[in-house]
Amino acid sequence: MRGRSITVLLVLTVGALLAGGAAHLLGAATAAQAIWAGGTAVALLPAIWWVVETVREGRLGVDAIAVLALGGSLAVGEYFAGAVIGVMLATGRALDEYALRRARRDLTALYERAPRTARRYRGGADGAFSGPVETVPVDRVRRGDPLLVPSGEIVPVDGVVREGTALLDESALSGESVPVERVAGEAVRSGVINAGAPFDIVATGTAEESTYAAVVRLAEQTETDSAPVVRIADRYAAAFLPATLLLAGAAWLLSGDPVRAVAVLVVATPCPLLLAAPAAIAAGLSRAARYGVVAKGGGALETLGHARTLVLDKTGTLTSGRPQVVDVVPVPGRDPDEVLALAAAVDQVSSHVLAHAIVHAAAERGLTLGRPYGVHEEPGTGTEGMVGEHAVRVGKARGVREGWERAQRARAALDGAMTVFVTVDGDTAGVILLRDAVRADAPRTLRRLRRAGIERVVMLTGDRADVAESVATVLNVDRVLAERPPAAKVAAVREEAAQAVTVMVGDGINDAPALAAAQVGVAMGARGSAAAAGAAEVVLTGDRIDRLADAMDVARRSRRIAVQSAAAGMALSIAAMAAAAAGLLPPAAGALLQEAIDVAVILNALRALHPAKGTGTKVDEPTEEMLRAFEHEHLTLRPPLELLREVADRLGADPPDAVLPQLRQVRRFLVDDLLPHERAEEQRLYPAVGRLLGGAEVTATMSRAHAEIERLVGRLGRHLEAAEDTGLRPERLDDLRACLYGLHAVLLLHFAQEEEAYFSLAGQPGQDASHA
């Protein structure tokens, strides 16, 4: 309705200006003046209403200057100037409405596609995945309900894949155009589309608790918050009103000509100040939404832009958030599969990333999971519930078997693994060891954030100090705070926030209070909890932490454009006011000049809608496809790398005849699979990356690694050829073992370096993020 009334006002004022101009050209001067006067009066009425609205809000805005200019033009007979001012006001309001509409478009798309219904198996109260399926309102879904997600439909609530593989289109949230697979035990989030065959999920929360609902609430709140730069513009505009009135009065008093006062009022109408800042910030919100970043209004976006301290949770934020179960160690007398099955049964209804890993591991082993009830999750401590007749608790150690638990923690420390202890009926039943790799894009993202203005990076986690330190060493963070429960996390964030503007990034339920304590809380929404998303001012809807760097680039650029537009427009307006006060600029010419100034600065503000280079690296489409292809090959080649270490461990311990077949298998893998991959990188990928990053020198060290890999594979081949003739002789074992260990270490390091330095460039919106 508001947009329609502004359109009508624009049509009437422009029509009056053009009709009056036509009459004037035809020699009907009196008719022209009457038409222009009518156009001025049409604009005066809504302008008066806008002033009344601001007075009701307890302030007197600069719309009052427009009212005085329009009224003054009518009073002194400067009807053409009044008509131009009317067009100027209508044009400014229409441009502002267009900018806001463009800004809301990407955000509106998020909540317009929110799921409304769900397909639940009838008899869902007992968790059965059989029988007829009924369509129910999504708000009737409860945690633990069995749901069917048909092909092409939106996942209604957060859940866990029950069995099989789900193919999901997450492009509307994360910007990733390639569908992703989620296997049994993995989490899926509401709002994504089933791009494959129908699959079943177990709901891990209600619609209100789901992550997508929190994102929708955040999107709706973007219209209710204004940015600091916009509020500053309002204050400057309020101070501008009395200054304008004084100058207009002085010009009239000193010259005795009221037309000079009207001329000052005409060019003083501060549309640049009123419209440029909101337009730029609103455009920034739209641009951020295209990157998969939803901000709670302009205030959150702008504060993000001048943050100086970054506090990051570890699991799911700095690490991949996809930890893998590496071992299940039961206490004497317990079976490892029994321990894993009980833990996974309780964790089926938990949204924690470690819970998803445990459920996934149980599904891979084909374990049957009981249905839990009475489940309670205590953030930062663990989850407990009943499975059959047993009370099961999964989380931190309870000190029941202190010696055994201490020994398991020591073993985990050596392996850099995380520990999840399982307690059954009050007694420790076992421990599950998990390892979570550092995100490949994390080091590059932290470097980008430092270039964007972050001066201090703090890692905050509830994990053990040794695990946290191993991650911090890779990422070069400034401070590590480990073994912190939720209350201590809040205290740490408040301490940092007292020193500088602080951003806190997290994804779990236990991160929610800390997110609320920071000036800007950022939630990883892809697999994060709804509580975290609800407490945050910014949500990253995808599973890429580099989107945070993109958001900071957008925030800084939007604020810079807003200040630039408003300052340039006001400087030109002040110069025009001085000329008008001196009698050098009559009202009609002043109105035309002010109209040109307004249009120019508002169009400049709309530049924030368009992408900029920022701190990212622009990647062309063919190179990005190549990066993704080689990254996929890494995923295939990584698992067999462990065979090198396993065979090296067996050398000297097992009979030579037993080890020789595995050595042949290792060599076949290296010659048939690994070396062709490395040579293809050298011939195709490295030249492309060199052009992208500035020359062949950036890939020189990686090429040297390729040469070392070739050398070690050749050495291994010569050992194997000798073994075929004479067997594995004892004097050759040490060198052969060193060769295998060396290859394993070099390849792991080389893969990690390529993934961090090159593959993390894929999908970076240093280029136009409209793909997202």
Side-chain angles (χ1 to χ4, degrees):
M1 189 68 184
R2 179 176 178 267
R4 188 179 304 168
S5 62
I6 290 174
T7 301
V8 170
L9 176 63
L10 181 61
V11 169
L12 290 175
T13 53
V14 171
L17 182 63
L18 294 177
H24 181 76
L25 291 175
L26 294 173
T30 303
Q33 294 294 321
I35 294 171
W36 286 332
T40 304
V42 166
L44 180 60
L45 294 176
I48 292 173
W49 175 247
W50 294 331
V51 171
V52 170
E53 282 186 325
T54 58
V55 170
R56 283 178 176 175
E57 294 171 1
R59 57 190 178 89
L60 184 60
V62 290
D63 283 330
I65 296 177
V67 170
L68 292 174
L70 290 167
S73 297
L74 289 174
V76 300
E78 290 283 348
Y79 303 129
F80 174 73
V84 173
I85 296 169
V87 171
M88 176 182 67
L89 280 177
T91 302
R93 293 279 171 170
L95 282 172
D96 186 42
E97 183 68 20
Y98 166 76
L100 292 175
R101 191 167 58 250
R102 278 286 306 270
R104 294 188 190 113
R105 185 176 62 192
D106 297 291
L107 301 175
T108 301
L110 283 173
Y111 51 79
E112 281 185 347
R113 66 187 303 281
R116 304 287 192 275
T117 61
R119 310 228 182 191
R120 185 173 63 188
Y121 285 94
R122 194 171 294 169
D126 59 8
F129 281 86
S130 59
V133 175
E134 58 182 349
T135 301
V136 298
V138 71
D139 56 8
R140 286 177 53 189
V141 175
R142 295 293 176 262
R143 181 177 292 198
D145 280 357
L147 304 176
L148 170 68
V149 184
S151 300
E153 291 201 5
I154 296 175
V155 177
V157 297
D158 291 353
V160 174
V161 179
R162 176 69 177 183
E163 61 184 4
T165 300
L167 186 66
L168 301 173
D169 175 4
E170 300 184 346
S171 58
L173 294 183
S174 67
E176 294 292 343
S177 58
V178 180
V180 297
E181 289 186 347
R182 301 283 184 239
V183 298
E186 282 197 289
V188 295
R189 52 184 174 148
S190 59
V192 303
I193 298 173
N194 179 12
F199 64 93
D200 296 332
I201 64 171
V202 178
T204 56
T206 65
E208 187 68 16
E209 294 168 343
S210 291
T211 302
Y212 192 78
V215 174
V216 169
R217 286 192 296 270
L218 204 59
E220 291 169 340
Q221 290 168 357
T222 61
E223 299 179 9
T224 66
D225 185 35
S226 60
V229 70
V230 176
R231 294 191 290 270
I232 291 171
D234 289 343
R235 290 198 295 271
Y236 281 154
F240 188 72
L241 174 60
T244 299
L245 295 177
L246 285 173
L247 182 59
W252 186 358
L253 180 64
L254 295 175
S255 66
D257 184 3
V259 175
R260 289 198 185 184
V262 173
V264 171
L265 293 172
V266 166
V267 296
T269 308
C271 285
L273 195 57
L274 287 175
L275 303 181
I281 295 299
L285 289 170
S286 177
R287 173 51 49 185
R290 294 189 184 191
Y291 286 131
V293 180
V294 182
K296 191 185 292 183
L301 187 68
E302 190 189 346
T303 304
L304 183 65
H306 60 258
R308 291 294 174 266
T309 298
L310 178 66
V311 181
L312 300 123
D313 175 50
K314 182 182 71 67
T315 304
T317 303
L318 288 173
T319 58
S320 67
R322 292 188 176 94
Q324 303 290 321
V325 172
V326 294
D327 201 1
V328 180
V329 184
V331 299
R334 289 274 188 182
D335 179 70
D337 283 353
E338 176 201 10
V339 172
L340 181 60
L342 288 170
V346 171
D347 276 341
Q348 286 181 97
V349 293
S350 172
S351 61
H352 197 283
V353 291
L354 296 183
H356 297 161
I358 291 170
V359 174
H360 179 55
E364 282 190 325
R365 297 191 187 191
L367 303 180
T368 301
L369 305 185
R371 176 170 172 80
Y373 57 95
V375 177
H376 171 68
E377 189 167 358
E378 188 176 341
T381 301
T383 304
E384 54 187 299
M386 297 296 296
V387 181
E389 300 297 320
H390 299 290
V392 179
R393 185 181 181 282
V394 185
K396 292 186 179 297
R398 300 299 292 268
V400 179
R401 301 190 182 204
E402 290 188 7
W404 186 87
E405 291 169 358
R406 187 164 53 250
Q408 299 310 314
R409 278 195 293 264
R411 174 192 170 181
L414 291 174
D415 293 338
M418 294 170 284
T419 55
V420 175
F421 287 87
V422 183
T423 302
V424 178
D425 297 328
D427 188 22
T428 301
V431 62
I432 300 171
L433 303 181
L434 305 98
R435 191 177 294 120
D436 192 10
V438 175
R439 286 176 180 267
D441 61 337
R444 180 182 295 277
T445 298
L446 292 186
R447 291 194 294 271
R448 285 185 61 194
L449 288 167
R450 289 188 189 273
R451 289 198 300 272
I454 293 295
E455 298 169 353
R456 177 176 168 82
V457 178
V458 179
M459 190 172 77
L460 183 61
T461 178
D463 282 345
R464 303 191 321 271
D466 54 313
V467 175
E469 290 287 353
S470 66
V471 174
T473 301
V474 174
L475 298 175
N476 191 31
V477 303
D478 300 300
R479 186 185 183 194
V480 179
L481 300 174
E483 301 183 44
R484 301 296 173 107
K489 285 187 175 184
V490 172
V493 172
R494 285 177 176 165
E495 178 186 342
E496 295 293 339
Q499 306 298 320
V501 177
T502 297
V503 175
M504 167 69 191
V505 186
D507 71 328
I509 293 174
N510 59 328
D511 296 324
L515 292 173
Q519 278 92 343
V520 179
V522 179
M524 298 287 292
R527 293 192 306 274
S529 72
E537 286 81 22
V538 176
V539 172
L540 309 182
T541 61
D543 190 30
R544 294 180 63 104
I545 192 176
D546 61 355
R547 301 303 191 199
L548 178 60
D550 298 320
M552 288 193 68
D553 287 342
V554 168
R556 291 163 64 231
R557 182 169 184 260
S558 299
R559 189 180 194 280
R560 184 170 63 250
I561 289 175
V563 172
Q564 176 193 87
S565 300
M570 292 311 300
L572 292 172
S573 294
I574 290 170
M577 288 167 60
L584 302 176
L585 194 64
L592 291 173
L593 176 62
Q594 185 63 37
E595 175 75 0
I597 292 172
D598 291 346
V599 172
V601 298
I602 292 172
L603 291 177
N604 181 66
L606 292 180
R607 287 192 302 118
L609 281 170
H610 303 297
K613 178 171 173 45
T615 57
T617 302
K618 183 177 178 63
V619 182
D620 58 88
E621 190 170 340
T623 303
E624 181 166 353
E625 290 178 0
M626 191 188 306
L627 287 166
R628 291 189 184 280
F630 279 106
E631 182 179 25
H632 180 72
E633 288 184 18
H634 266 210
L635 295 176
T636 305
L637 293 170
R638 257 189 188 281
L641 292 182
E642 292 306 311
L643 183 61
L644 277 72
R645 189 177 69 172
E646 291 172 10
V647 173
D649 290 342
R650 293 184 61 188
L651 282 173
D654 291 354
D657 290 344
V659 180
L660 197 55
Q662 288 194 314
L663 276 172
R664 295 190 190 105
Q665 182 183 352
V666 166
R667 188 169 185 272
R668 280 196 301 272
F669 160 70
L670 294 172
V671 173
D672 297 343
D673 299 326
L674 183 80
L675 287 184
H677 165 83
E678 302 297 338
R679 290 164 184 163
E681 285 184 333
E682 191 70 36
Q683 294 166 7
R684 296 171 49 218
L685 180 65
Y686 285 12
V689 170
R691 288 191 297 271
L692 197 68
L693 300 179
E697 287 300 316
V698 299
T699 61
T701 54
M702 298 298 187
S703 294
R704 179 65 184 84
H706 281 170
E708 180 64 12
I709 292 166
E710 291 266 8
R711 186 187 72 82
L712 289 171
V713 171
R715 190 179 186 92
L716 177 64
R718 288 190 293 275
H719 273 295
L720 195 55
E721 288 170 3
E724 298 291 356
D725 294 334
T726 62
L728 287 175
R729 300 183 65 83
E731 64 269 18
R732 293 179 177 271
L733 291 184
D734 286 345
D735 189 74
L736 182 56
R737 188 182 298 110
C739 185
L740 288 168
Y741 282 138
L743 261 174
H744 180 260
V746 169
L747 285 169
L748 285 182
L749 178 61
H750 181 63
F751 273 35
Q753 288 175 324
E754 285 186 326
E755 288 160 10
E756 175 189 329
Y758 304 153
F759 299 163
S760 64
L761 293 169
Q764 260 202 164
Q767 62 266 32
D768 184 352
S770 59
H771 301 304

